[in-house]
Amino acid sequence: MISEDSKQRVKVLGIFLLQIYKITTGTMMSLFIPQSCGEKMCSLTENYHNSEIYHKTLFYWNTFSMFLFLLCYSIELTREEWCVKYLDIDNNYPDNSLKNIIIKEKVLDKKMDKLNKYYYDILICTSITYFINMLLTIKMINDNYHSNSTISCFMSFSLLVLMKLYNSCNVAYQSVKNDKMTSAYMAEFVSFNVLDTDYVNEKYNGKKNNRLEDIKDEEIVNHEEIIPMIDTKNI
């Protein structure tokens, strides 16, 4: 039987592969936007080999913009993988309940804060770079306008990327502001709000049950540390 964690990983990978296409076309606009080559439309090869200084400058900026997106995706996927491994989604708990639980796991708490901060920072840099990318592309369109398809492709490519940036920035901002772990890939941007059952079982050597129903403070006899209890009354 396929585990819930595996299903989440497959879902994230599928969405990621779909987004790579729109990010590629939406950043490398000097290649994919229809441009005029005399009386005909330029091919991709002609756009790539265009040696005009401004066009080459734009191509390099497109490449830099795409590199930042790939870096952003790298951090985003690392963040999602960490969430799948250590956290879970339980609709019986509110989205903001994770902090009250994870604070007892200091290592996980610090890692969550670090991942959220990295994700937010790279998204801000990527957004600024892409905004400049759009402005530079507008001048290229003005100089090499071919037909209505030039404008429509620019609008379509830009909107797809801007929607991605908006959704991701919203996820990152809410995660940092509210100190939680909101998924950038799950439907409706669900929040991971409990500890992962596999992690709990490994951490406590099977002494705790899988479902986190009620987190309380339990005093250990040898006074080593405080750990979360798991109430299994609803299992």
Side-chain angles (χ1 to χ4, degrees):
M1 181 180 293
I2 301 177
S3 67
E4 189 63 32
D5 286 356
S6 296
K7 292 179 181 178
Q8 291 176 355
R9 289 188 177 97
V10 171
K11 184 174 183 178
V12 168
L13 179 60
I15 296 175
F16 167 73
L17 293 177
L18 290 174
Q19 290 189 356
I20 281 295
Y21 168 76
K22 68 181 182 182
I23 292 302
T24 301
T25 56
T27 53
M28 304 299 295
M29 289 190 283
S30 61
L31 295 180
F32 294 104
I33 289 182
Q35 300 168 55
S36 176
C37 285
E39 296 182 355
K40 67 182 184 68
M41 183 174 67
C42 301
S43 65
L44 287 177
T45 302
E46 288 173 324
N47 286 338
Y48 177 77
H49 290 292
N50 189 333
S51 59
E52 196 270 324
I53 295 178
Y54 185 83
H55 195 278
K56 277 296 181 184
T57 302
L58 176 59
F59 174 78
Y60 294 142
W61 192 264
N62 288 169
T63 304
F64 176 64
S65 181
M66 184 174 179
F67 169 77
L68 286 183
F69 268 102
L70 293 177
L71 181 60
C72 180
Y73 272 117
S74 176
I75 297 176
E76 189 172 80
L77 290 175
T78 299
R79 180 177 177 271
E80 292 291 323
E81 172 61 23
W82 184 86
C83 290
V84 171
K85 183 176 181 180
Y86 292 105
L87 307 176
D88 252 330
I89 300 167
D90 192 331
N91 293 328
N92 295 317
Y93 290 89
D95 287 347
N96 60 355
S97 66
L98 176 62
K99 190 60 181 179
N100 295 329
I101 300 172
I102 203 172
I103 196 171
K104 299 176 175 62
E105 300 285 344
K106 300 299 184 184
V107 175
L108 296 184
D109 189 24
K110 291 181 179 179
K111 184 66 174 180
M112 181 184 76
D113 293 340
K114 184 180 295 185
L115 286 172
N116 281 338
K117 186 64 167 58
Y118 287 162
Y119 185 44
Y120 180 76
D121 289 344
I122 188 61
L123 277 170
I124 295 299
C125 293
T126 303
S127 298
I128 294 173
T129 301
Y130 187 70
F131 179 72
I132 297 174
N133 196 39
M134 290 179 61
L135 294 179
L136 295 175
T137 302
I138 290 174
K139 184 181 185 309
M140 180 202 73
I141 292 174
N142 184 63
D143 295 340
N144 301 308
Y145 179 82
H146 176 264
S147 62
N148 289 336
S149 60
T150 302
I151 302 297
S152 62
C153 285
F154 171 73
M155 296 296 294
S156 299
F157 294 159
S158 299
L159 285 175
L160 288 174
V161 176
L162 289 174
M163 287 174 62
K164 165 61 183 175
L165 281 175
Y166 172 79
N167 290 332
S168 295
C169 286
N170 184 51
V171 167
Y173 176 75
Q174 293 297 329
S175 295
V176 171
K177 178 183 177 182
N178 299 319
D179 202 11
K180 63 180 183 179
M181 207 62 165
T182 302
S183 173
Y185 287 90
M186 302 300 180
E188 298 181 1
F189 302 130
V190 296
S191 290
F192 293 93
N193 55 2
V194 294
L195 297 179
D196 187 82
T197 52
D198 293 334
Y199 169 76
V200 172
N201 287 335
E202 181 180 355
K203 171 83 173 181
Y204 301 109
N205 299 318
K207 295 179 180 179
K208 300 293 181 182
N209 292 319
N210 292 336
R211 186 178 174 86
L212 293 175
E213 280 294 325
D214 186 21
I215 303 300
K216 299 179 180 178
D217 289 338
E218 175 184 318
E219 184 176 359
I220 305 302
V221 176
N222 57 12
H223 304 291
E224 289 181 351
E225 61 178 351
I226 302 298
I227 62 174
M229 288 185 65
I230 302 174
D231 183 356
T232 62
K233 61 185 178 182
N234 289 330
I235 296 182

